Amino acid sequence: MSWLKVDLDEGRAAFRPGEVVRGTASWSLDAPPASVEVRLIWFTQGKGDRDVGLVETMPCPAPGAEGRQAFAFPLPDGPYSFSGTLVSLLWAVEVVALPGSDAALAELVASPSGREILLPREMPDAGAR
Amino acid sequence: MRARDNPFAVHRIHALRFRLTDEGWRELLARLSTLGCRAAIVGPEGSGKTLLLEELGARLGTLGLAPCLLTLRRGERRPAPEARAALLAGLGPADVVLVDGADELGPLAWSSLRRAARKAGGLVVTSHRPGLLPTLWTCGTSVELLADLVRELVGSEEAEALRPRLAALFDRHRGDLRAALRALYDLYGASPATAGPLPGA
């Protein structure tokens, strides 16, 4: 049975901008893929179509059917992890076996507080004093 | 409710599969072959035409064919020149051109595209109305289908609680399941909890 997974070091899943996300991607596939990529991404979920930002890619050329790859991605200044009623923005490290669609990811939070920013359901009236 | 927790978020809707059994797929693929691989998926707004076209493309891919998708937006009377050129460049017998929203095209653009696609091994389109090509599949909707999709998204217990609302939603959106599911997103989004049943359900 094929599998891929991403483990973040020490199980840590909350980071501040500028911190380095470290961990290990590992896989066991039925056959050696052409390549494996480990990616730092952000993406949206919600009512609208999904937006994706590819921040950094670490290629693993000529990988075997089984393997592991350590990674270290410095987090950029933004965007921060947040959730509102209409859209959430999430960060993740994903590992993808190419060609094909086999992939796995580990979600993480990126924000100055280390917590997902929750938007108020209704924005305060800009004109209110 | 956070958008990421909303069971009707788009990524969850996109994960739904077209309701067709293995036997149904065999029949559909046999019919497509009978029609010379030139056919239309027909149905009203929000009835799953795009989903069926995408899944058909994936199945054709597993059969060694190369699906080439062109998606037309509402009111797009002709495809963008770059998109058209990229789609039609080097077409061969192993290629199957898939056009989502072919009835958006003007008569000249449709005629031109259909002619250019003759080099491909197949041409399958979606359309709200029959007539562009022989009909491969007619997509329809029902309250039962909406209930089935909702059950997959929220689970049996919560779906049962929603059941009395679904017929009204279905009627309000004239059978457009995409619109009905978006309305359910809004209803869940109004819930203050991060997860939980629909308020008033």
Side-chain angles (χ1 to χ4, degrees):
Chain A
M1 184 179 163
S2 294
W3 55 265
L4 302 99
K5 69 172 180 169
V6 176
D7 292 307
L8 301 177
D9 280 358
E10 300 166 5
R12 188 180 168 195
F15 299 84
R16 291 175 174 77
E19 287 191 309
V20 178
V21 180
R22 298 178 194 278
T24 305
S26 49
W27 59 91
S28 174
L29 303 169
D30 294 334
S35 71
V36 168
E37 288 186 0
V38 187
R39 303 166 177 166
L40 176 65
I41 61 169
W42 58 261
F43 57 96
T44 61
Q45 290 181 340
K47 189 174 183 181
D49 286 338
R50 173 174 151 132
D51 279 331
V52 179
L54 175 58
V55 178
E56 192 171 340
T57 299
M58 176 182 284
C60 312
E66 294 187 13
R68 51 196 287 120
Q69 174 70 50
F71 59 82
F73 294 124
L75 273 179
D77 291 339
Y80 301 154
S81 300
F82 73 87
S83 267
T85 301
L86 290 177
V87 64
S88 295
L89 187 144
L90 298 85
W91 281 87
V93 175
E94 70 170 358
V95 56
V96 184
L98 300 170
S101 56
D102 289 342
L105 61 75
E107 287 183 16
L108 56 101
V109 170
S111 80
S113 66
R115 289 190 299 274
E116 178 186 38
I117 296 165
L118 297 177
L119 302 181
R121 287 183 58 203
E122 292 178 22
M123 296 300 289
D125 181 354
R129 303 219 175 242
Chain B
M1 175 181 284
R2 297 184 304 182
R4 60 189 300 187
D5 297 323
N6 195 310
F8 298 96
V10 163
H11 71 284
R12 295 179 196 233
I13 304 294
H14 285 174
L16 296 170
R17 307 280 27 108
F18 193 83
R19 281 0 192 203
L20 200 54
T21 62
D22 288 346
E23 180 58 28
W25 274 110
R26 275 193 289 275
E27 287 175 17
L28 186 148
L29 291 169
R31 178 164 172 73
L32 181 61
S33 177
T34 302
L35 294 174
C37 210
R38 280 157 211 282
I41 296 167
V42 177
E45 196 81 33
S47 61
K49 301 183 298 297
T50 299
L51 180 57
L52 178 55
L53 184 72
E54 289 171 352
E55 292 191 17
L56 175 61
R59 289 199 175 235
L60 293 174
T62 65
L63 298 174
L65 298 168
C68 315
L69 177 66
L70 174 67
T71 300
L72 296 159
R73 295 184 302 273
R74 190 181 296 267
E76 194 171 359
R77 300 278 291 169
R78 66 179 70 177
E82 310 79 40
R84 187 181 190 281
L87 177 78
L88 301 176
L91 281 180
D95 297 309
V96 178
V97 176
L98 307 175
V99 183
D100 189 22
D103 51 347
E104 298 292 339
L105 291 171
L108 286 177
W110 164 241
S111 177
S112 168
L113 182 67
R114 186 178 179 181
R115 197 165 48 247
R118 281 182 191 153
K119 297 174 193 163
L123 171 63
V124 183
V125 305
T126 67
S127 171
H128 294 108
R129 296 176 300 280
L132 290 178
L133 290 171
T135 298
L136 171 65
W137 199 265
T138 301
C139 295
T141 63
S142 64
V143 178
E144 288 69 32
L145 177 57
L146 176 60
D148 185 39
L149 298 174
V150 168
R151 192 176 307 115
E152 183 172 333
L153 291 165
V154 302
S156 300
E157 195 175 323
E158 221 165 303
E160 199 53 42
L162 279 171
R163 181 88 194 185
R165 292 183 171 208
L166 298 185
L169 266 178
F170 184 84
D171 289 343
R172 188 184 311 153
H173 295 285
R174 298 185 177 87
D176 181 338
L177 297 191
R178 189 189 304 116
L181 293 170
R182 284 173 70 86
L184 285 164
Y185 180 99
D186 290 336
L187 285 168
Y188 269 69
S191 165
T194 53
L198 182 65

